[in-house]
Amino acid sequence: MEEDLSRALNSVTLEPEDSKMDTFGLYVVTWNVGTAEPPEDVNSLLQLSSPNKPDLYVIGLQEVKAAPLKFVTDLAFEDSWSQLFMRTLAHLGYIKVSSIRMQGLLLLFFSKLEHVPFIRDIQVTYTRTGIYGYWGNKGGVSIRLSFYGHMLCFLNCHLTAHMNYASQRVDEFEYILDAQTFDTKNTPHILDHKVVFWFGDLNFRIEDHGMLFVRNCITSQRFSLLWPKDQLTMMKQKEAILQKFEEGPLDFQPTYKFDLHSDNYDTRVQKTWFGFNGKKRKPAWCDRILWHVKPKSSPPEDEDGHIEEEQLEGERANEFPLKMTQENYTSKMEYGVSDHKPVIGIFCLELKKMHKTPLVEVCAEGEWSADFDALITYRLLQSFPSSAWDWIGLYKVGFKSVSDYITYTWVKDDQVSLNDELFQVYVNKDEIPVRGGECVLCYFSSNLQCIVGISQPFKVQESRAAIEEGLVPENINGLDETVAS
């Protein structure tokens, strides 16, 4: 079913006549947070003071606290880390498009609001590798999606620890790649996507060199002396699957293992017997961000010399190129809540859009307030599998996620008029916030499980009746906090 939907959408949205390439910023974060609660702010982590804000944020965390009671609570409500990132980014015009959590592994995908109607085919999955595959303390979580028609996949991993398990880490990665599948014919596996980002606490260590030598290299910033003994670098020389992935130079100091709230590497005093406190850990680049861009390939022919249909689709997709470059790869040393420092990768995606118009155009008709029922007009700009379960949500400008609506209306149940092109639905006045504020409307497709149309911002007026009755002070702007929450 989903394959048919995707094929139908692509067949009507391809626009190859325009050769213009558009540029998008992508900001990737990986951080083993060591079961800690979030810091007071993440402005520096996300570089929010930069004048050039990225279009997309992808945030992968490991060891998010997953005590049984807390984990159940986090499933019912957003966990404290998600809440912090959502609250921080919402004020800047980003919403959380998708997320997935498996025990301590958390993956969040944020987008500027303007791109949201062009993010489709969203699927998430996970693979357990910890404790014989039954406990989710190790493994991988992934989000895959179509961004302006280009298939992207983001894989956040936490692989097995300790110096002697480099080969097992590679085996776990290969197992995750094999185990994770998606419900679509053209991109059923991770490596079928046009771009794959692989990041997380991959736990590869620095072999052979002693503690003193490693620390001296770090102090003198001669990081290149450590590269040949970095296990991931060494394994890439002999493992074909790792050779598919690229990584920027490790021109930042190893991000593991630090004393908490400090820039000092592990200074524990080793104890023995019943007072055992563990061996000091050598610094290592455990936290990594790698990527893979799928190479172009000629479509194979069947026995009769015909090119298969799905391969023809792949060829059509090749008419829409994508280029990717990494602009920065570094750590953020100022954060000390964990024994790991967070790592960021900033990328530039240059691509030719496969579609440039949303599936639905939606707008608010006339004046809106809680004094009368309101009208919404929407138009289907392209044919897509609409459903009676589609709905249009009223959102505060600066909303955090799809579920952060004030109210919503079903497009079929609340329909009041239609013609061949335009449809109108109403919103009951009792569901409109009396204090008003700046809002937008979002059309959510039940079949596609994503927002496919967003209105221009508009103002909901304060309720005159409420003001006259003394329920709302005059000249107060902003949404009724009770309703908005």
Side-chain angles (χ1 to χ4, degrees):
M1 177 65 176
E2 292 194 14
E3 171 200 336
D4 294 336
L5 298 181
S6 179
R7 180 175 299 178
L9 287 174
N10 285 335
S11 68
V12 298
T13 56
L14 297 180
E15 301 171 7
E17 66 278 359
D18 188 351
S19 60
K20 181 183 176 182
M21 299 279 281
D22 291 278
T23 300
F24 304 90
L26 170 64
Y27 196 108
V28 180
V29 176
T30 179
W31 191 4
N32 183 322
V33 299
T35 72
E37 287 299 307
E40 291 185 3
D41 72 71
V42 287
N43 293 348
S44 175
L45 176 66
L46 304 179
Q47 294 188 3
L48 299 184
S49 62
S50 171
N52 299 317
K53 302 291 192 300
D55 297 273
L56 307 171
Y57 277 100
V58 181
I59 301 168
L61 305 180
Q62 307 85 40
E63 292 195 27
V64 175
K65 190 173 183 180
L69 180 60
K70 180 172 176 56
F71 183 59
V72 171
T73 303
D74 288 347
L75 290 178
F77 309 97
E78 295 286 358
D79 64 275
S80 56
W81 285 92
S82 295
Q83 288 177 358
L84 174 61
F85 286 116
M86 291 167 65
R87 186 170 61 249
T88 300
L89 290 172
H91 294 299
L92 298 173
Y94 296 87
I95 75 164
K96 188 192 77 172
V97 176
S98 184
S99 66
I100 181 171
R101 180 169 181 188
M102 180 189 74
Q103 292 293 100
L105 276 168
L106 175 64
L107 180 57
L108 305 166
F109 182 92
F110 292 87
S111 169
K112 284 184 176 177
L113 190 60
E114 65 197 78
H115 305 306
V116 169
F118 303 97
I119 300 173
R120 306 169 189 167
D121 301 322
I122 304 168
Q123 294 185 44
V124 300
T125 190
Y126 63 89
T127 303
R128 297 186 179 99
T129 60
I131 310 181
Y132 305 104
Y134 290 105
W135 187 246
N137 63 321
K138 296 290 194 296
V141 293
S142 63
I143 297 174
R144 57 90 68 174
L145 51 86
S146 168
F147 183 68
Y148 289 98
H150 296 264
M151 299 308 303
L152 312 180
C153 186
F154 303 91
L155 173 61
N156 172 27
C157 288
H158 191 186
L159 304 181
T160 193
H162 304 306
M163 179 69 72
N164 297 327
Y165 293 102
S167 295
Q168 183 174 331
R169 287 188 270 277
V170 177
D171 292 341
E172 288 179 348
F173 176 52
E174 290 184 312
Y175 173 73
I176 292 169
L177 291 181
D178 290 339
Q180 294 198 358
T181 58
F182 303 99
D183 187 16
T184 177
K185 190 170 185 179
N186 291 329
T187 53
H189 298 97
I190 289 175
L191 292 180
D192 295 326
H193 293 75
K194 185 170 284 189
V195 180
V196 177
F197 288 90
W198 172 40
F199 49 92
D201 180 0
L202 307 186
N203 254 321
F204 290 101
R205 308 305 173 97
I206 297 173
E207 290 191 357
D208 297 342
H209 297 309
M211 182 79 77
L212 181 60
F213 179 82
V214 171
R215 293 194 175 189
N216 284 339
C217 289
I218 295 170
T219 301
S220 61
Q221 296 190 351
R222 293 181 296 171
F223 305 128
S224 61
L225 296 179
L226 302 175
W227 295 347
K229 293 301 181 180
D230 167 67
Q231 287 181 334
L232 181 53
T233 302
M234 297 168 67
M235 297 302 288
K236 283 187 73 172
Q237 296 174 1
K238 59 181 181 179
E239 297 288 347
I241 192 66
L242 298 182
Q243 293 168 11
K244 295 177 180 290
F245 286 83
E246 299 181 58
E247 183 181 19
L250 297 169
D251 286 330
F252 53 92
Q253 67 187 81
T255 53
Y256 173 84
K257 171 179 174 60
F258 287 88
D259 293 337
L260 296 183
H261 307 289
S262 169
D263 290 344
N264 298 320
Y265 286 102
D266 194 357
T267 58
R268 291 176 298 174
V269 176
Q270 185 168 343
K271 301 176 183 178
T272 58
W273 296 100
F274 296 107
F276 182 70
N277 194 30
K279 177 182 178 183
K280 286 185 182 179
R281 300 298 180 191
K282 274 195 303 184
W285 286 289
C286 292
D287 311 284
R288 312 287 277 268
I289 301 172
L290 298 92
W291 71 92
H292 165 73
V293 179
K294 186 178 180 181
K296 291 183 179 181
S297 59
S298 300
E301 300 177 349
D302 60 20
E303 295 179 356
D304 298 323
H306 299 110
I307 297 175
E308 297 178 0
E309 180 182 355
E310 59 268 23
Q311 295 298 331
L312 280 173
E313 291 183 0
E315 280 301 290
R316 286 196 294 269
N318 283 339
E319 297 176 24
F320 300 89
L322 180 149
K323 300 177 183 177
M324 196 181 73
T325 54
Q326 187 176 56
E327 297 183 337
N328 195 12
Y329 187 35
T330 189
S331 61
K332 304 295 287 185
M333 292 293 294
E334 58 267 43
Y335 290 93
V337 299
S338 164
D339 56 356
H340 291 250
K341 301 296 183 181
V343 170
I344 65 166
I346 303 176
F347 298 86
C348 175
L349 291 176
E350 187 178 1
L351 57 84
K352 184 177 176 183
K353 296 177 180 177
M354 291 190 187
H355 36 78
K356 301 177 183 177
T357 56
L359 298 178
V360 176
E361 179 184 82
V362 58
C363 65
E365 288 293 331
E367 181 179 330
W368 278 55
S369 83
D371 295 325
F372 41 77
D373 295 344
L375 279 179
I376 300 171
T377 297
Y378 70 92
R379 180 199 311 265
L380 304 185
L381 300 181
Q382 300 178 39
S383 176
F384 77 99
S386 60
S387 162
W389 296 103
D390 291 359
W391 50 272
I392 298 174
L394 175 67
Y395 292 84
K396 176 185 176 181
V397 169
F399 67 101
K400 302 180 183 71
S401 68
V402 173
S403 62
D404 195 22
Y405 53 78
I406 300 166
T407 187
Y408 64 89
T409 181
W410 299 104
V411 298
K412 302 297 184 183
D413 289 353
D414 300 317
Q415 190 169 282
V416 294
S417 66
L418 73 159
N419 58 38
D420 292 340
E421 293 184 353
L422 291 178
F423 302 83
Q424 283 192 326
V425 294
Y426 79 95
V427 178
N428 191 293
K429 64 181 181 179
D430 295 335
E431 298 176 348
I432 298 174
V434 297
R435 301 178 75 171
E438 291 293 319
C439 293
V440 293
L441 297 167
C442 296
Y443 187 112
F444 185 86
S445 166
S446 177
N447 283 327
L448 300 177
Q449 285 294 295
C450 61
I451 291 173
V452 295
I454 301 177
S455 75
Q456 292 296 316
F458 63 98
K459 184 173 180 60
V460 176
Q461 302 296 328
E462 291 177 345
S463 168
R464 295 187 182 92
I467 292 174
E468 291 173 358
E469 294 176 11
L471 300 179
V472 179
E474 293 187 34
N475 302 319
I476 294 180
N477 293 318
L479 294 171
D480 185 311
E481 294 179 3
T482 302
V483 177
S485 62

